[in-house]
């Protein structure tokens, strides 16, 4: 039996996610493959020197001791659902990516050094694998050269738990992370739990009701069977094992979802001669994920891999991930996640197993928060609170009366600036959707202090309630007064492009290049196809997009992403789009408003000019934009931004006007912007009145001086 200290595992961020699970050589690791116990006997726990086994008669889970790595899952006659034959990426494990003092990121396999039984009884077993950080941790050479090389282990205490219940077709896992006084500063760039399933059995993947398909093998992605494309995650299947997949593109980011939609996803073992077996991640709550309900992240992808991602820089940018100061106190529970197993007779449609898992999700959601979790850091239902209220929208150019904020996103997150929730990852977030009358109830809130945030589909900008909300155990807080959101508004709408929904989904998404097709996205979510950014140079080889108000339509004439133009191999140029519109008469001496809402930015700089592209200094510049990389990762949105541009009347003219939108950085194919919504507003009524008064006074003075 190999007893290799997994704590020596350290991998540079520049390497692939090949954690040195091979050191443990799981295929040589002993686990119990004896027959499952009788379900009527309840949950059994078998503890050995190098592994432990949880067994409830339906599922048997084998975990290395004291590392806490899942080395085997036995179910429905299959001795192990997990991959054990690959050199890399075995079994199930927790990991994180971290950095310190400007160093490059490091991936860390979260292997414990201490094993403990928390609960052992007929109805439940809960076990713990923990590690406590200490400053004298040994250091080993880094995979990258850095004179400030830190110790191998992130300054973090962690406790990884596994729970099995009687009669439950699966098991739960959750992790408790803690940073305390005495620990140095560090950045937490990402953390997750991953399961690598057997590639000889699991070929059918389902991440939602409509996003399901048979997947290629991992070797199909590698040369000579596959050809890597613009980035390593995207591969063209040149000679796949299954010929019908030839010519398709595989990229794990094609299977990302918004956090609010990551509820149940996984794989089905679908060989015709065998019973079907499903392996599913079920997430009953997303309270512990960073970035709010619209944050996108990975789900399942080729290997076959199934993930629960709690925090990542994807669709956000590395500079937005949480940073912890020296000695900064922090504690958070990630999960629990339910790993659910189901089965069906041969010949059953694979989607039936997803349907069953989705029904299981509803049951898990009804049980949230779980009453069987033993950690005191995970509050039970009677230790949580509820916040109730009603939110309205006040926009006098839409309605003379306040209108209900139908379907508004309303949530509690750590105190911060307006809209800060979309980059907040240290604390918990609790979100709901408002009803038809604007009423909302935010349930199961941890004790603590929060800001209440909201945004309303159909209206630009973000809302933040003016007072802190303090939630205590058992509270049911009623916000007495209606919350009123007044979206940015200066005057009446002269014209608008798009829909204010924080995505670019309504704009023109081109057809995919036939040599880069993923057939799953021919009729749905077409923006997820590979290489769509290249189609801009095809459609606009020498001149840029021109949009004419009252003639063009944004569904057909506004490209989904303002990207660079490809001039040659690895040569790109910045691009300038035009918006043409007419003004019958400019209100002199006034200020118009241009509202520019962005759904995503990456390595971009937006410059805006009115009627004169040649002016050296733009009328407006937006620098330091986010680097959420949504264009390359097939996302239709990343981080939201809103710019409110004062437009002086002397920048405009009677008749035809042109606004020039220049994305001036052209280093590569992914420098770009996704617009959410653009609107030009007339001057405010009081501003027009003042301008008329000023103009009248000027004329009177002029006449007086002329006599």
């Amino acid at each position: 039996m190999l007893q290799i200290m997994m704590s020596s595992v350290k991998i540079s961020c520049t390497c692939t996610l090949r954690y040195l699970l091979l050191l443990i050589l799981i295929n040589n690791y002993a686990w119990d493959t004896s027959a499952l116990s009788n379900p009527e006997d309840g949950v059994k726990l078998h503890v050995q020197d190098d592994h432990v086994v949880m067994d409830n008669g339906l599922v048997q889970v084998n975990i290395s001791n004291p590392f806490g790595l899942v080395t085997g899952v036995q179910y429905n006659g299959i001795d192990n659902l997990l991959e054990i034959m690959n050199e890399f990426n075995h079994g199930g494990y927790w990991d994180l990516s971290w950095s310190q003092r400007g160093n490059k990121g490091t991936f860390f396999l979260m292997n414990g050094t201490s094993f403990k039984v928390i609960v052992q009884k007929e109805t439940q077993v809960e076990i713990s694998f923990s590690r406590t950080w200490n400053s004298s941790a040994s250091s080993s050479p880094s995979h990258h050269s850095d004179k400030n090389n830190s110790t191998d282990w992130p300054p973090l205490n962690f406790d990884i738990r596994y729970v099995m219940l009687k009669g439950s077709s699966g098991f739960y896992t959750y992790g408790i992370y803690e940073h305390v006084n005495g620990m140095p500063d560090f950045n937490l760039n990402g953390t997750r739990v991953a399961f690598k399933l057997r590639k000889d059995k699991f070929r059918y993947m389902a991440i939602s009701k409509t996003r399901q398909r048979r997947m290629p093998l991992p070797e199909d992605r590698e040369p000579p069977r596959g050809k890597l494309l613009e980035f390593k995650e995207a591969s063209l299947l040149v000679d796949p094992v299954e010929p019908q997949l030839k010519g398709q593109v595989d990229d794990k980011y094609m299977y990302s979802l918004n956090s609010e939609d990551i509820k149940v996803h996984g794989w089905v073992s679908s060989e015709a001669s065998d019973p079907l077996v499903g392996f599913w991640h079920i997430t009953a709550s997303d309270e512990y994920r960073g970035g709010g309900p619209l944050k996108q992240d990975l789900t399942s992808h080729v290997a076959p891999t199934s993930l629960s991602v709690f925090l990542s820089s994807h669709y956000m940018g590395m500079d937005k991930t949480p940073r912890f100061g020296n000695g900064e106190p922090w504690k958070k529970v990630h999960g629990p996640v339910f790993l659910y197993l189901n089965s069906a007779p041969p010949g059953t449609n694979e989607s039936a197993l997803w349907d069953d898992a989705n029904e299981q999700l509803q049951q898990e959601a009804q049980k949230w928060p779980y009453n069987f979790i033993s950690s005191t850091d995970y509050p039970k239902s009677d230790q949580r609170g509820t916040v109730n209220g009603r939110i309205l929208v006040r926009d006098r150019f839409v309605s003379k009366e306040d209108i209900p904020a139908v379907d508004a996103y309303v949530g509690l997150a750590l105190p911060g600036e307006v809209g800060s929730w979309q980059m907040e990852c240290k604390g918990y977030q609790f979100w709901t959707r408002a009803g038809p009358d604007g009423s909302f109830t935010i349930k199961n809130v941890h004790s603590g202090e929060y800001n209440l945030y909201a945004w309303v589909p159909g209206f630009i900008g973000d809302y933040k309630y003016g007072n802190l909300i303090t939630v205590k155990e058992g509270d049911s807080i009623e916000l007495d007064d209606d919350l009123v959101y007044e979206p940015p508004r200066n005057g009446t709408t002269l014209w608008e492009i798009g829909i204010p929904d924080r995505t670019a989904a309504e704009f023109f998404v081109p057809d995919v290049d036939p040599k880069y097709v993923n057939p799953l996205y021919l009729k749905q979510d077409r923006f997820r196809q590979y290489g769509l950014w290249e189609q801009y140079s095809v459609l606009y080889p020498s001149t840029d997009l021109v949009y004419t108000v009252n003639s063009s339509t944004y569904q057909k004439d506004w490209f989904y992403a303002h990207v660079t133009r490809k001039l040659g191999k690895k040569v790109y140029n910045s691009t300038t789009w035009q918006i043409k519109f007419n003004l019958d008469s400019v209100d002199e001496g006034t200020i118009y408003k241009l509202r520019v809402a962005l759904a995503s930015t990456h390595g971009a700089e937006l410059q805006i000019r009115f009627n004169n592209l040649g002016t050296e200094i733009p009328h407006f510049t937006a620098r330091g934009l986010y680097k959420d990389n949504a264009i390359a990762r097939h996302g239709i949105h990343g981080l939201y931004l809103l710019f409110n541009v004062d437009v002086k009347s002397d920048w405009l003219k009677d008749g035809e006007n042109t606004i020039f939108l220049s994305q001036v950085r052209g280093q590569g194919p992914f420098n770009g912007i996704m617009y959410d919504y653009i609107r030009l507003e007339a001057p405010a009524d009081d501003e027009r009145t003042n301008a008329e008064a000023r103009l009248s006074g000027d004329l009177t003075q002029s006449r007086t001086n002329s006599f």
Side-chain angles (χ1 to χ4, degrees):
M1 188 64 58
L2 294 178
Q3 294 289 340
I4 299 176
M5 285 298 295
M6 297 298 294
S7 60
S8 64
V9 178
K10 182 177 183 183
I11 302 178
S12 166
C13 186
T14 59
C15 298
T16 60
L17 299 183
R18 293 182 171 179
Y19 315 98
L20 301 186
L21 282 166
L22 74 157
L23 294 180
I24 208 168
L25 292 179
I26 292 179
N27 52 313
N28 290 327
Y29 211 107
W31 59 73
D32 185 357
T33 58
S34 61
L36 289 164
S37 62
N38 188 333
E40 298 301 320
D41 294 337
V43 189
K44 303 296 183 182
L45 178 65
H46 308 283
V47 179
Q48 305 295 327
D49 290 340
D50 51 20
H51 72 284
V52 299
V53 180
M54 299 188 301
D55 182 350
N56 68 359
L58 300 173
V59 181
Q60 186 185 96
V61 180
N62 299 266
I63 307 171
S64 62
N65 182 7
F67 303 141
L69 309 175
V70 181
T71 58
V73 175
Q74 184 179 356
Y75 173 73
N76 198 37
I78 303 176
D79 61 354
N80 196 358
L81 304 181
L82 304 183
E83 184 60 70
I84 60 172
M85 301 305 294
N86 286 344
E87 184 180 11
F88 298 103
N89 296 340
H90 296 290
Y93 52 89
W94 287 66
D95 64 19
L96 61 81
S97 171
W98 70 290
S99 57
Q100 194 174 45
R101 292 193 301 273
N103 291 357
K104 292 182 179 180
T106 298
F107 281 101
F108 174 75
L109 187 68
M110 297 177 69
N111 48 299
T113 56
S114 177
F115 165 71
K116 184 178 181 181
V117 177
I118 305 297
V119 176
Q120 185 176 5
K121 55 186 180 180
E122 179 186 344
T123 57
Q124 177 182 348
V125 162
E126 179 168 342
I127 52 180
S128 161
F129 301 87
S130 62
R131 174 189 287 270
T132 301
W133 182 86
N134 66 81
S135 59
S136 62
S138 61
S139 178
S140 63
S142 171
H143 282 231
H144 60 272
S145 176
D146 193 305
K147 63 182 180 181
N148 295 318
N149 180 39
S150 62
T151 61
D152 286 336
W153 321 126
L156 194 71
N157 298 334
F158 64 82
D159 183 353
I160 305 303
R161 302 282 184 94
Y162 296 95
V163 181
M164 179 173 280
L165 304 179
K166 180 180 179 180
S168 175
S169 186
F171 60 101
Y172 299 82
T173 186
Y174 68 101
I176 307 165
Y177 296 21
E178 185 178 29
H179 187 261
V180 298
N181 185 35
M183 292 184 178
D185 62 312
F186 86 112
N187 305 332
L188 182 56
N189 303 324
T191 187
R192 64 184 189 172
V193 59
F195 286 85
K196 307 292 185 177
L197 304 176
R198 286 175 58 172
K199 68 178 183 179
D200 64 324
K201 288 189 174 294
F202 291 92
R203 298 294 302 280
Y204 187 89
M205 188 183 78
I207 61 174
S208 74
K209 177 68 175 178
T210 61
R211 296 172 66 183
Q212 305 181 15
R213 60 162 296 180
R214 188 167 176 86
M215 297 291 285
L217 290 163
E219 53 262 38
D220 291 337
R221 293 176 41 84
E222 302 294 332
R225 291 194 176 276
K227 175 185 177 182
L228 295 183
L229 298 175
E230 193 72 40
F231 41 88
K232 65 181 181 180
E233 290 84 0
S235 181
L236 178 64
L237 309 183
V238 178
D239 182 28
V241 173
E242 296 186 6
Q244 67 269 27
L245 301 180
K246 182 177 181 179
Q248 297 184 18
V249 170
D250 179 73
D251 181 348
K252 65 183 181 180
Y253 293 114
M254 289 178 172
Y255 306 106
S256 297
L257 285 173
N258 288 352
S259 181
E260 63 178 345
D261 299 321
I262 303 177
K263 301 296 185 183
V264 51
H265 65 90
W267 292 80
V268 178
S269 172
S270 57
E271 299 308 313
S273 60
D274 297 329
L276 277 68
V277 170
F279 184 98
W280 309 100
H281 282 241
I282 291 183
T283 305
S285 170
D286 57 1
E287 66 183 36
Y288 43 79
R289 293 198 187 110
L294 303 185
K295 170 67 167 68
Q296 297 171 89
D297 244 313
L298 299 172
T299 55
S300 292
H301 58 80
V302 164
T305 299
S306 194
L307 305 167
S308 283
V309 179
F310 308 114
L311 164 69
S312 81
S313 61
H314 297 149
Y315 306 93
M316 177 186 286
M318 191 70 74
D319 58 335
K320 303 303 177 186
T321 54
R323 288 159 167 71
F324 296 91
N326 193 306
E328 177 183 344
W330 175 74
K331 199 171 194 180
K332 188 174 183 179
V333 176
H334 293 96
V337 174
F338 184 38
L339 288 311
Y340 176 63
L341 306 173
N342 59 4
S343 62
T348 305
N349 191 298
E350 292 93 345
S351 63
L353 272 74
W354 186 90
D355 292 339
D356 173 73
N358 192 50
E359 291 181 9
Q360 183 66 37
L361 165 66
Q362 311 313 314
Q363 298 179 37
E364 298 298 319
Q366 289 295 318
K367 294 187 291 185
W368 187 274
Y370 298 132
N371 61 12
F372 54 82
I373 297 299
S374 299
S375 172
T376 57
D377 297 305
Y378 176 82
K380 307 300 188 294
S381 59
D382 60 353
Q383 299 172 311
R384 299 181 179 223
T386 301
V387 177
N388 305 282
R390 184 169 181 251
I391 183 168
L392 308 175
V393 177
R394 181 175 297 162
D395 186 336
R396 62 189 177 90
F397 292 95
V398 174
S399 171
K400 293 182 180 179
E401 304 292 333
D402 293 347
I403 58 177
V406 180
D407 287 334
Y409 285 77
V410 188
L412 299 173
L414 289 184
E417 300 299 321
V418 174
S420 61
W421 55 267
Q422 66 174 338
M423 294 169 287
E424 198 290 301
C425 299
K426 289 185 178 181
Y428 301 93
Q429 296 196 23
F430 306 90
W431 288 86
T432 191
R433 301 291 295 271
D437 66 345
S439 297
F440 61 85
T441 298
I442 306 174
K443 300 178 180 179
N444 299 319
V445 182
H446 292 206
S447 299
E449 287 192 339
Y450 301 93
N451 277 144
L452 185 145
Y453 304 93
W455 71 274
V456 187
F459 296 89
I460 58 174
D462 279 276
Y463 172 82
K464 174 186 168 184
Y465 183 53
N467 301 323
L468 279 178
I469 295 179
T470 301
V471 179
K472 298 179 181 178
E473 290 187 8
D475 273 354
S476 182
I477 298 173
E478 299 286 342
L479 301 177
D480 296 331
D481 298 325
D482 288 338
L483 311 181
V484 179
Y485 174 49
E486 297 187 46
R489 171 68 76 169
N490 194 56
T492 187
T493 298
L494 296 177
W495 53 259
E496 60 187 349
I497 301 173
I499 301 171
D501 62 357
R502 300 189 176 226
T503 82
E506 69 270 28
F507 297 129
F508 175 69
V509 177
D511 291 335
V512 62
D513 186 323
K515 66 175 180 284
Y516 293 141
V517 170
N518 184 328
L520 184 61
Y521 299 121
L522 290 174
K523 295 183 179 180
Q524 63 174 329
D525 298 341
R526 295 173 62 245
F527 58 84
R528 295 192 182 277
Q529 297 281 8
Y530 174 84
L532 297 182
W533 53 86
E534 294 181 349
Q535 295 305 300
Y536 181 80
S537 299
V538 175
L539 295 170
Y540 301 94
S542 57
T543 59
D544 284 319
L545 182 151
V546 177
Y547 186 93
T548 303
V549 174
N550 295 329
S551 175
S552 303
T553 60
Y554 61 77
Q555 298 93 335
K556 295 181 179 179
D557 301 309
W558 191 269
F559 199 76
Y560 83 104
H562 189 165
V563 292
T564 55
R565 176 181 292 105
K566 188 174 184 178
L567 302 179
K569 187 175 182 180
K570 298 188 180 302
V571 179
Y572 301 88
N573 198 9
S574 60
T575 54
T576 296
W577 291 8
Q578 299 179 41
I579 303 173
K580 293 186 177 294
F581 62 98
N582 279 290
L583 289 176
D584 292 336
S585 177
V586 175
D587 291 325
E588 296 181 5
T590 61
I591 299 295
Y592 292 71
K593 282 283 188 179
L594 183 69
R595 313 284 184 186
V596 182
L598 306 183
S600 171
T601 62
H602 185 76
E605 178 180 330
L606 176 63
Q607 296 182 358
I608 302 178
R609 293 174 172 85
F610 295 83
N611 288 319
N612 185 1
L613 182 58
T615 182
E616 182 176 353
I617 299 176
H619 294 111
F620 175 82
T621 301
R623 297 187 181 92
L625 302 179
Y626 299 140
K627 297 180 180 179
D628 58 40
N629 209 18
I631 295 172
R633 288 176 173 148
H634 322 296
I636 203 65
H637 70 90
L639 295 175
Y640 177 80
L641 283 167
L642 175 64
F643 296 103
N644 303 298
V645 182
D646 287 343
V647 182
K648 296 180 180 179
S649 59
D650 57 6
W651 297 351
L652 304 172
K653 60 185 179 180
D654 295 347
E656 186 178 84
N657 290 262
T658 303
I659 297 177
F660 299 95
L661 304 172
S662 299
Q663 195 296 102
V664 299
R665 299 186 182 179
Q667 293 89 344
F670 307 123
N671 296 111
I673 292 168
M674 289 184 186
Y675 298 95
D676 167 40
Y677 175 74
I678 302 176
R679 180 173 76 211
L680 182 66
E681 298 173 9
D685 291 341
D686 57 349
E687 202 173 353
R688 289 183 174 185
T689 301
N690 292 336
E692 290 171 359
R694 287 194 301 272
L695 180 59
S696 175
D698 291 343
L699 289 173
T700 301
Q701 184 64 37
S702 176
R703 288 171 182 156
T704 302
N705 291 340
S706 65
F707 285 92

